[in-house]
Amino acid sequence: MKEFNKNADENKRLNPRMISGLKDFACTLPALVFLGIFTYYPIMELFRISFTNWNLLNDTYEYVGFKNWIWLFNGSGTKHLLNSLKVTFLYSLGELSITIIGGMIFALIFNRMTKGFSTMRAIVFVPKYVAMSSAAVIYLWILNTDSGILNYILSLFGVGPVDWLGDRDTALLSVLLLTGWRAVGYGMMVYLSAMLGISQDYYEAAALDGANKVQIFFKITLPMLSPTTLFLFVTTFISSMKVFQSVDILTKGGPYRSTEVFVYKIYQYAMVDFRMDRASVIAIFFFILLLIVTALTMKISSGNVTYDS
């Protein structure tokens, strides 16, 4: 009898905890339902479609097994896949360089808490708030071969007109000009915020030891900014791999596929060729690629990032 009463008391103590846990779960349930419907279910559907021959021009489709995957890795799709990979990684490398290196340089230049420097920081950062579609339309005029302001400026120095968007050697660079104009201010502001969090004790101690500005930067500032650099690298890499709007407006993947980035290739297969099966295969490959590269980046950089401020 005493043992029965003891178990009953334990159950009474557990019930409030269980009820509290159920309440907590109920609070997260709407978010879980939202994620299930709009994130995980579409991903599962994407996998299912990749095993079909779904063409939007046809009313029906059939399951064809791994035919689309064979087409991607051992068929006519391989050439376009490799080209899109090359273009996308070149673009990502350019955007990473602009955001990280350019952002750090501007942060070092404007790291002064004065009214004048605050105005200049605002001027550099404002392009981030300009919609990509609007900025791309403006750049269509700036980079125009016949009436663009950039070619007009070059003509003052005796340089002939450059077909910025029509030449395969300059098309990707032209897209990066637009990207850099919008991205460098974001990198600058992130680095400025991180610099303000570094304790001045480190700089005072280095000054007492006779360190110059270059030594202080490489021995104190740069290591202390490593978490910020990692954050910018991962977020910028993911966003740069998903570039679409600027390419769609400026070059539409041309000329000669020189700006045909990965997401634009998916768009072409899905909305131009109406091949949802092939688009889904490339999208899944792209998703897995981003996961692998991001995980490797976090793994490799984990031992080289200093979180001591």
Side-chain angles (χ1 to χ4, degrees):
M1 188 66 179
K2 290 181 179 180
E3 186 176 351
F4 176 79
N5 292 334
K6 183 179 179 181
N7 292 334
D9 292 339
E10 289 180 356
N11 290 334
K12 288 180 180 179
R13 287 195 297 269
L14 290 175
N15 285 336
R17 295 178 184 176
M18 293 177 62
I19 293 173
S20 177
L22 289 173
K23 288 181 179 179
D24 294 340
F25 178 75
C27 291
T28 62
L29 190 59
L32 293 175
V33 172
F34 184 87
L35 285 173
I37 295 175
F38 295 102
T39 301
Y40 298 113
Y41 174 72
I43 291 175
M44 290 188 294
E45 277 292 290
L46 202 64
F47 275 95
R48 186 184 66 82
I49 293 170
S50 69
F51 295 104
T52 69
N53 61 353
W54 188 12
N55 189 322
L56 290 178
L57 297 178
N58 300 328
D59 296 331
T60 60
Y61 60 84
E62 300 174 348
Y63 287 93
V64 294
F66 290 93
K67 183 178 179 180
N68 293 317
W69 292 93
I70 295 172
W71 164 83
L72 182 63
F73 293 109
N74 194 28
S76 60
T78 307
K79 179 178 67 174
H80 300 316
L81 172 68
L82 293 176
N83 178 71
S84 295
L85 274 175
K86 174 187 173 183
V87 173
T88 305
F89 274 110
L90 285 175
Y91 175 87
S92 296
L93 181 62
E95 185 170 347
L96 283 168
S97 302
I98 292 169
T99 304
I100 295 176
I101 299 176
M104 185 174 291
I105 291 173
F106 274 102
L108 291 171
I109 293 173
F110 296 146
N111 190 17
R112 301 288 187 278
M113 301 307 293
T114 62
K115 188 175 182 179
F117 280 94
S118 297
T119 303
M120 287 187 285
R121 286 198 298 267
I123 292 173
V124 175
F125 183 66
V126 159
K128 184 66 178 178
Y129 288 104
V130 179
M132 177 60 79
S133 56
S134 302
V137 171
I138 294 172
Y139 265 72
L140 279 175
W141 168 68
I142 293 175
L143 300 173
N144 186 274
T145 305
D146 301 319
S147 58
I149 188 172
L150 183 57
N151 275 342
Y152 172 75
I153 295 173
L154 291 176
S155 67
L156 299 178
F157 297 93
V159 180
V162 179
D163 189 4
W164 294 100
L165 300 175
D167 191 330
R168 67 192 312 169
D169 295 326
T170 58
L172 190 62
L173 176 63
S174 302
V175 178
L176 280 170
L177 285 176
L178 170 58
T179 301
W181 178 67
R182 297 183 73 251
V184 70
Y186 171 73
M188 176 195 70
M189 294 303 292
V190 172
Y191 273 124
L192 277 172
S193 300
M195 288 178 182
L196 293 175
I198 300 176
S199 175
Q200 294 298 314
D201 295 340
Y202 294 109
Y203 296 111
E204 293 172 2
L208 290 174
D209 291 337
N212 56 40
K213 291 184 178 180
V214 176
Q215 291 173 326
I216 289 174
F217 173 75
F218 283 103
K219 296 296 183 180
I220 298 176
T221 305
L222 194 59
M224 289 295 179
L225 292 177
S226 56
T228 305
T229 302
L230 176 62
F231 166 78
L232 278 176
F233 182 90
V234 173
T235 55
T236 303
F237 174 77
I238 293 174
S239 65
S240 64
M241 291 287 285
K242 297 187 295 182
V243 61
F244 170 77
Q245 200 169 22
S246 57
V247 172
D248 183 42
I249 296 175
L250 291 177
T251 63
K252 297 192 180 300
Y256 307 107
R257 304 182 187 274
S258 60
T259 59
E260 194 176 66
V261 291
F262 227 104
V263 175
Y264 190 80
K265 190 63 182 176
I266 296 172
Y267 165 79
Q268 279 190 318
Y269 277 124
M271 300 301 164
V272 179
D273 299 336
F274 304 113
R275 293 301 302 269
M276 297 300 295
D277 50 351
R278 294 182 175 181
S280 63
V281 168
I282 298 178
I284 292 170
F285 173 78
F286 183 55
F287 173 71
I288 296 172
L289 179 66
L290 284 181
L291 283 181
I292 293 173
V293 174
T294 304
L296 287 175
T297 301
M298 299 296 291
K299 181 69 175 177
I300 295 171
S301 61
S302 60
N304 301 316
V305 175
T306 302
Y307 291 98
D308 180 22
S309 59

